[in-house]
């Protein structure tokens, strides 16, 4: 068997998201009729299509097939030259396989997405948001990050200020916002700011956020101190004005009587002080007898509150984790429960157990978390966004936190609350490790993942960003 092949052109170029065609010419140089089958091989095979896939040639005749390449506009389509090959298998002699090779150059493209987590931070002296930068292009991203605001009211400590991100990867930039002036009294003030992601040769990508600066002393405390100070001054003035008059009258009486300042031995020498009227009314005898006999005085058959059973207190995540902490004071524990749509709160579970339902199409609306031995926890819910233009949800509320043994809630249990798509969580302010996994709609468990404070990733995210893939169940460990 003999076969001649030629790729035209041997090297081609294509844009991600576009397509290009290479022609493969071949001639049957043998002396028998043969049928040839074609198959693209190599890294580009998933994006290649050969038409026709089978070609029959008589001896001495020439034919051709077209190889169409359509790489997607994703980080998987690596920029630069990419070798490919086509396997040609003759039907008559399958052992005599021919594999002509060519080269396809994929042009580079850049696509960057940046998001502040959380978009709104609160504090009196500083705020610590994180800028999540995703490289959705097919080339390495190099950029710098800077901050600005109107009126130069904030200072910015950004680490790292320069990032290099491989295609399909993400990086987190830690930012510390500090107000240049402290608000001692009064209401809180919102200070919008912008973090700019600057790449060489293109306009910067601006991400806007808000820093809510709280006053050093809340307004109610300032009002209380003002009222207390006014009352104290009034009391002192009255006391000063009243005290000299008492001393003067006593001195004059002693001088007129010509007696010693020692206290008299007879109790009749000093007038009896007037008695203050009693503020407690005397209880009528009938009422006293009723209380002794019936307790509440409601009478027989009155149906008082004593006939009703006392409602048992709700067992929250904090209740469960306090029980574990009492049994294991030096251990680390995390307890949690989920608010399931149409069912309400599940029972509180701990340390890797399942909270929620699996495969019942019942989304989670809220999550209640409490920890012990980790120096507290904080979280933020990522929920369905009906106004989304990219099919993703959003963070509607800032992070909320709680100390050890205290309940922390994310999400909402209101009637029309959106479905939870995921949530972020850390423990100990990011100084300790926490692990999570989630079961999402139309999918399975996503796998247990943990944050890595020692590597700069001081929180972990559970769930997805997709508006159609809500949370159904979660597991947490510390």
């Amino acid at each position: 068997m003999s076969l001649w092949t030629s790729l035209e052109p041997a090297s081609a170029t294509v844009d991600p998201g576009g397509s290009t065609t290479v022609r493969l010419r071949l001639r049957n140089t043998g002396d028998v009729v043969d049928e040839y089958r074609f198959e693209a091989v190599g890294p580009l095979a998933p994006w290649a299509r050969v038409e026709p896939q089978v070609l029959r040639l008589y001896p001495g005749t020439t034919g051709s097939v077209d190889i169409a390449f359509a790489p997607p506009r994703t980080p998987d389509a690596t920029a630069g030259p990419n070798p490919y090959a086509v396997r040609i298998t003759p039907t008559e002699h399958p052992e005599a396989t021919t594999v002509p090779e060519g080269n396809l150059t994929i042009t580079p493209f850049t696509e960057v997405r940046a998001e502040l987590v959380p978009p709104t931070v609160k504090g009196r002296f500083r705020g610590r948001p994180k800028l999540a930068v995703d490289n959705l292009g097919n080339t390495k991203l190099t950029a710098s990050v800077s901050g600005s605001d109107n009126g130069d009211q904030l200072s910015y400590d950004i680490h790292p200020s320069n990032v290099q991100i491989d295609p399909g990867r993400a990086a987190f930039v830690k930012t510390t916002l500090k107000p240049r002036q402290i608000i001692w009294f009064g209401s809180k003030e919102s200070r919008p700011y912008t973090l700019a992601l600057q790449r060489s040769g293109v306009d910067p990508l601006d991400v806007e956020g808000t820093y809510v600066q709280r006053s050093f002393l809340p307004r109610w405390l300032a009002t209380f101190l003002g009222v207390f100070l006014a009352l104290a001054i009034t009391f002192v003035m009255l006391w000063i004005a009243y005290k000299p008059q008492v001393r003067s009258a006593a001195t004059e009486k002693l001088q007129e009587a010509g007696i010693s300042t020692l206290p008299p031995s007879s109790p009749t020498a000093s007038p009896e002080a007037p008695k203050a009227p009693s503020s407690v009314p005397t209880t009528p005898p009938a009422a006293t007898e009723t209380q002794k006999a019936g307790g509440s005085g409601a009478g027989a058959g009155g149906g008082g509150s004593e006939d009703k059973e006392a409602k048992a207190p709700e067992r929250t995540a904090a209740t469960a984790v306090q029980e574990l902490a009492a049994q294991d004071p030096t251990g680390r524990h995390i307890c949690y429960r989920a608010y399931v749509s149409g069912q309400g709160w599940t029972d509180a579970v701990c340390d890797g157990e399942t909270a929620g339902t699996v495969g019942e199409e019942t989304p989670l609306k809220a999550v209640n978390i409490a920890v012990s031995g980790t120096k507290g926890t904080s979280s933020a819910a990522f929920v369905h966004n009906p106004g989304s233009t990219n099919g993703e949800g959003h963070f509607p509320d800032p992070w909320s936190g709680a100390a050890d043994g205290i309940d922390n809630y994310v999400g909402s249990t209101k009637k029309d609350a959106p479905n939870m798509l995921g949530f972020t969580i850390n423990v100990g302010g990011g100084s300790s490790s926490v692990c999570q996994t989630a079961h999402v709609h139309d999918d399975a468990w996503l796998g247990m993942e943990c944050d890595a404070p020692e590597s700069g990733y001081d929180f972990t995210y559970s769930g997805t960003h997709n508006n159609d893939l809500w949370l159904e169940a979660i597991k947490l460990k510390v």
Side-chain angles (χ1 to χ4, degrees):
M1 192 282 300
S2 181
L3 180 67
W4 170 86
T5 61
S6 175
L7 285 169
E8 300 175 358
S11 297
T13 301
V14 64
D15 295 329
S19 63
T20 189
T21 302
V22 176
R23 177 159 293 180
L24 172 62
R25 298 175 62 84
L26 64 161
R27 180 184 297 117
N28 184 357
T29 59
D31 53 4
V32 295
V33 178
D34 210 340
E35 186 177 75
Y36 304 95
R37 298 183 180 276
F38 305 91
E39 180 186 5
V41 295
L44 300 184
W47 308 326
R49 186 180 71 256
V50 182
E51 292 290 343
Q53 295 182 347
V54 179
L55 184 64
R56 184 181 181 85
L57 294 178
Y58 288 90
T61 60
T62 303
S64 64
V65 295
D66 291 334
I67 309 169
F69 294 95
R73 190 179 173 84
T74 64
D76 297 331
T78 306
N82 294 268
Y84 69 91
V86 179
R87 181 186 293 120
I88 306 174
T89 305
T91 303
E92 295 297 330
H93 302 280
E95 74 282 354
T97 301
T98 302
V99 186
E101 298 181 353
N103 187 73
L104 180 68
T105 300
I106 299 177
T107 59
F109 78 95
T110 302
E111 185 175 346
V112 182
R113 182 174 62 187
E115 180 183 16
L116 276 170
V117 182
T120 301
V121 292
K122 300 179 181 180
R124 294 179 173 84
F125 306 108
R126 62 182 58 84
R128 293 189 175 95
K130 292 183 177 66
L131 180 66
V133 183
D134 295 297
N135 183 6
L136 304 180
N138 64 350
T139 59
K140 179 176 287 189
L141 170 68
T142 301
S144 61
V145 182
S146 60
S148 62
D149 60 275
N150 293 331
D152 194 26
Q153 297 173 332
L154 303 172
S155 64
Y156 304 85
D157 182 11
I158 300 174
H159 180 76
S161 58
N162 295 282
V163 293
Q164 287 189 342
I165 309 174
D166 292 327
R169 306 292 292 179
F172 289 90
V173 179
K174 297 181 179 180
T175 304
T176 301
L177 310 174
K178 295 182 180 179
R180 299 189 184 277
Q181 293 184 349
I182 298 175
I183 302 177
W184 295 102
F185 299 97
S187 60
K188 59 187 178 182
E189 294 186 11
S190 295
R191 305 195 185 280
Y193 68 94
T194 301
L195 294 184
L197 187 70
Q198 180 66 62
R199 293 170 289 152
S200 177
V202 298
D203 294 335
L205 175 62
D206 293 337
V207 183
E208 297 181 351
T210 303
Y211 172 64
V212 179
Q213 184 180 358
R214 296 169 173 167
S215 61
F216 182 76
L217 294 177
R219 177 180 294 180
W220 67 267
L221 182 58
T223 302
F224 173 79
L225 292 177
V227 172
F228 178 79
L229 182 61
L231 292 175
I233 294 175
T234 302
F235 174 78
V236 171
M237 296 300 294
L238 292 175
W239 183 79
I240 293 175
Y242 176 72
K243 187 175 181 180
Q245 296 177 2
V246 174
R247 288 181 177 178
S248 176
T251 303
E252 291 175 357
K253 294 293 184 181
L254 291 175
Q255 290 176 352
E256 291 175 359
I259 61 177
S260 172
T261 58
L262 294 175
S265 57
S266 173
T268 58
S270 173
E272 183 180 1
K275 296 182 180 180
S278 175
S279 60
V280 181
T282 303
T283 304
T288 303
E289 293 299 326
T290 303
Q291 292 174 1
K292 291 181 180 179
S296 63
S305 60
E306 291 184 357
D307 295 333
K308 300 179 181 179
E309 294 185 1
K311 185 177 179 181
E314 183 180 14
R315 189 173 188 269
T316 67
T319 308
V321 86
Q322 289 169 10
E323 295 173 356
L324 288 179
Q327 300 171 6
D328 183 17
T330 61
R332 288 161 45 92
H333 300 284
I334 182 168
C335 295
Y336 45 93
R337 57 178 183 152
Y339 191 89
V340 181
S341 178
Q343 299 181 16
W345 286 108
T346 64
D347 292 336
V349 296
C350 305
D351 298 334
E353 297 181 274
T354 300
T357 62
V358 175
E360 298 183 9
E361 305 293 327
T362 50
L364 302 189
K365 300 289 188 178
V367 175
N368 169 210
I369 304 170
V371 295
S372 67
T374 68
K375 299 181 180 179
T377 182
S378 58
S379 300
F382 192 83
V383 302
H384 179 87
N385 181 12
S388 173
T389 58
N390 59 0
E392 296 184 357
H394 67 142
F395 286 99
D397 301 312
W399 284 58
S400 64
D404 278 5
I406 304 299
D407 282 312
N408 187 30
Y409 292 87
V410 294
S412 174
T413 60
K414 293 182 179 179
K415 180 179 180 181
D416 299 326
N419 297 339
M420 283 187 65
L421 310 179
F423 62 94
T424 54
I425 182 173
N426 68 10
V427 294
S431 62
S432 299
S433 180
V434 59
C435 303
Q436 53 73 28
T437 183
H439 191 285
V440 299
H441 172 62
D442 283 344
D443 207 335
W445 288 101
L446 299 181
M448 188 69 70
E449 294 186 2
C450 307
D451 58 357
E454 68 278 359
S455 302
Y457 296 97
D458 54 2
F459 69 91
T460 182
Y461 181 83
S462 179
T464 73
H465 286 186
N466 193 321
N467 260 337
D468 299 325
L469 300 180
W470 59 75
L471 289 180
E472 289 187 348
I474 61 170
K475 297 178 182 179
L476 301 176
K477 293 182 178 181
V478 293

